[in-house]
PDB file of all heavy atoms in Angstrom:
ATOM      1  N   THR B 131     -51.777 -39.824 -26.532  1.00 76.00           N
ATOM      2  CA  THR B 131     -51.492 -38.456 -26.254  1.00 76.00           C
ATOM      3  C   THR B 131     -52.097 -37.460 -27.166  1.00 76.00           C
ATOM      4  O   THR B 131     -51.723 -36.287 -27.188  1.00 76.00           O
ATOM      5  CB  THR B 131     -49.939 -38.296 -26.345  1.00 76.00           C
ATOM      6  OG1 THR B 131     -49.438 -38.789 -27.520  1.00 76.00           O
ATOM      7  CG2 THR B 131     -49.220 -38.994 -25.165  1.00 76.00           C
ATOM      8  N   ALA B 132     -53.022 -37.868 -28.002  1.00 80.00           N
ATOM      9  CA  ALA B 132     -53.558 -36.964 -28.981  1.00 80.00           C
ATOM     10  C   ALA B 132     -54.162 -35.762 -28.362  1.00 80.00           C
ATOM     11  O   ALA B 132     -54.800 -35.842 -27.325  1.00 80.00           O
ATOM     12  CB  ALA B 132     -54.611 -37.694 -29.878  1.00 80.00           C
ATOM     13  N   ASN B 133     -54.014 -34.667 -29.085  1.00 81.00           N
ATOM     14  CA  ASN B 133     -54.679 -33.435 -28.663  1.00 81.00           C
ATOM     15  C   ASN B 133     -56.016 -33.274 -29.473  1.00 81.00           C
ATOM     16  O   ASN B 133     -56.072 -33.411 -30.626  1.00 81.00           O
ATOM     17  CB  ASN B 133     -53.811 -32.232 -28.958  1.00 81.00           C
ATOM     18  CG  ASN B 133     -53.360 -31.517 -27.745  1.00 81.00           C
ATOM     19  OD1 ASN B 133     -53.985 -31.628 -26.637  1.00 81.00           O
ATOM     20  ND2 ASN B 133     -52.245 -30.800 -27.822  1.00 81.00           N
ATOM     21  N   LEU B 134     -57.042 -33.001 -28.699  1.00 83.00           N
ATOM     22  CA  LEU B 134     -58.395 -32.864 -29.293  1.00 83.00           C
ATOM     23  C   LEU B 134     -58.923 -31.425 -29.142  1.00 83.00           C
ATOM     24  O   LEU B 134     -58.439 -30.661 -28.263  1.00 83.00           O
ATOM     25  CB  LEU B 134     -59.363 -33.815 -28.628  1.00 83.00           C
ATOM     26  CG  LEU B 134     -58.950 -35.273 -28.557  1.00 83.00           C
ATOM     27  CD1 LEU B 134     -59.969 -36.113 -27.716  1.00 83.00           C
ATOM     28  CD2 LEU B 134     -58.766 -35.847 -29.889  1.00 83.00           C
ATOM     29  N   HIS B 135     -59.826 -31.087 -30.067  1.00 83.00           N
ATOM     30  CA  HIS B 135     -60.338 -29.700 -29.923  1.00 83.00           C
ATOM     31  C   HIS B 135     -61.854 -29.751 -29.941  1.00 83.00           C
ATOM     32  O   HIS B 135     -62.426 -30.492 -30.697  1.00 83.00           O
ATOM     33  CB  HIS B 135     -59.866 -28.869 -31.101  1.00 83.00           C
ATOM     34  CG  HIS B 135     -58.362 -28.656 -31.068  1.00 83.00           C
ATOM     35  ND1 HIS B 135     -57.739 -27.652 -30.365  1.00 83.00           N
ATOM     36  CD2 HIS B 135     -57.326 -29.380 -31.567  1.00 83.00           C
ATOM     37  CE1 HIS B 135     -56.468 -27.767 -30.481  1.00 83.00           C
ATOM     38  NE2 HIS B 135     -56.178 -28.796 -31.176  1.00 83.00           N
ATOM     39  N   LEU B 136     -62.464 -28.817 -29.179  1.00 83.00           N
ATOM     40  CA  LEU B 136     -63.862 -28.666 -29.241  1.00 83.00           C
ATOM     41  C   LEU B 136     -64.085 -27.155 -29.075  1.00 83.00           C
ATOM     42  O   LEU B 136     -63.761 -26.642 -27.986  1.00 83.00           O
ATOM     43  CB  LEU B 136     -64.516 -29.458 -28.077  1.00 83.00           C
ATOM     44  CG  LEU B 136     -66.092 -29.456 -28.183  1.00 83.00           C
ATOM     45  CD1 LEU B 136     -66.583 -30.389 -29.237  1.00 83.00           C
ATOM     46  CD2 LEU B 136     -66.638 -29.970 -26.786  1.00 83.00           C
ATOM     47  N   GLY B 137     -64.665 -26.519 -30.087  1.00 80.00           N
ATOM     48  CA  GLY B 137     -64.830 -25.100 -30.080  1.00 80.00           C
ATOM     49  C   GLY B 137     -63.441 -24.456 -29.823  1.00 80.00           C
ATOM     50  O   GLY B 137     -62.486 -24.770 -30.553  1.00 80.00           O
ATOM     51  N   HIS B 138     -63.334 -23.542 -28.838  1.00 80.00           N
ATOM     52  CA  HIS B 138     -62.108 -22.886 -28.545  1.00 80.00           C
ATOM     53  C   HIS B 138     -61.232 -23.656 -27.518  1.00 80.00           C
ATOM     54  O   HIS B 138     -60.202 -23.250 -27.061  1.00 80.00           O
ATOM     55  CB  HIS B 138     -62.321 -21.469 -28.027  1.00 80.00           C
ATOM     56  CG  HIS B 138     -62.982 -20.594 -29.065  1.00 80.00           C
ATOM     57  ND1 HIS B 138     -62.285 -20.134 -30.129  1.00 80.00           N
ATOM     58  CD2 HIS B 138     -64.214 -20.139 -29.229  1.00 80.00           C
ATOM     59  CE1 HIS B 138     -63.091 -19.413 -30.924  1.00 80.00           C
ATOM     60  NE2 HIS B 138     -64.274 -19.430 -30.322  1.00 80.00           N
ATOM     61  N   ALA B 139     -61.730 -24.844 -27.107  1.00 82.00           N
ATOM     62  CA  ALA B 139     -61.045 -25.509 -26.046  1.00 82.00           C
ATOM     63  C   ALA B 139     -60.306 -26.703 -26.557  1.00 82.00           C
ATOM     64  O   ALA B 139     -60.690 -27.316 -27.525  1.00 82.00           O
ATOM     65  CB  ALA B 139     -62.026 -25.949 -24.976  1.00 82.00           C
ATOM     66  N   SER B 140     -59.070 -26.927 -26.065  1.00 83.00           N
ATOM     67  CA  SER B 140     -58.328 -28.088 -26.449  1.00 83.00           C
ATOM     68  C   SER B 140     -58.001 -28.857 -25.263  1.00 83.00           C
ATOM     69  O   SER B 140     -57.931 -28.435 -24.155  1.00 83.00           O
ATOM     70  CB  SER B 140     -57.049 -27.715 -27.184  1.00 83.00           C
ATOM     71  OG  SER B 140     -56.068 -27.213 -26.237  1.00 83.00           O
ATOM     72  N   PHE B 141     -57.910 -30.237 -25.401  1.00 86.00           N
ATOM     73  CA  PHE B 141     -57.660 -31.080 -24.368  1.00 86.00           C
ATOM     74  C   PHE B 141     -57.045 -32.400 -24.932  1.00 86.00           C
ATOM     75  O   PHE B 141     -57.055 -32.558 -26.144  1.00 86.00           O
ATOM     76  CB  PHE B 141     -58.876 -31.432 -23.587  1.00 86.00           C
ATOM     77  CG  PHE B 141     -60.120 -31.720 -24.425  1.00 86.00           C
ATOM     78  CD1 PHE B 141     -60.393 -33.022 -24.919  1.00 86.00           C
ATOM     79  CD2 PHE B 141     -60.990 -30.690 -24.817  1.00 86.00           C
ATOM     80  CE1 PHE B 141     -61.486 -33.308 -25.616  1.00 86.00           C
ATOM     81  CE2 PHE B 141     -61.978 -30.970 -25.644  1.00 86.00           C
ATOM     82  CZ  PHE B 141     -62.279 -32.167 -26.044  1.00 86.00           C
ATOM     83  N   THR B 142     -56.618 -33.315 -24.077  1.00 86.00           N
ATOM     84  CA  THR B 142     -55.944 -34.533 -24.562  1.00 86.00           C
ATOM     85  C   THR B 142     -56.942 -35.680 -24.489  1.00 86.00           C
ATOM     86  O   THR B 142     -57.979 -35.644 -23.814  1.00 86.00           O
ATOM     87  CB  THR B 142     -54.717 -34.907 -23.725  1.00 86.00           C
ATOM     88  OG1 THR B 142     -55.167 -35.258 -22.431  1.00 86.00           O
ATOM     89  CG2 THR B 142     -53.765 -33.752 -23.603  1.00 86.00           C
ATOM     90  N   ALA B 143     -56.460 -36.775 -25.213  1.00 86.00           N
ATOM     91  CA  ALA B 143     -57.301 -37.955 -25.192  1.00 86.00           C
ATOM     92  C   ALA B 143     -57.456 -38.556 -23.806  1.00 86.00           C
ATOM     93  O   ALA B 143     -58.514 -39.054 -23.362  1.00 86.00           O
ATOM     94  CB  ALA B 143     -56.724 -38.989 -26.149  1.00 86.00           C
TER      95      ALA B 143
END
Side-chain angles (χ1 to χ4, degrees):
Chain B
T131 51
N133 244 336
L134 310 174
H135 296 272
L136 186 74
H138 294 288
S140 73
F141 45 89
T142 67

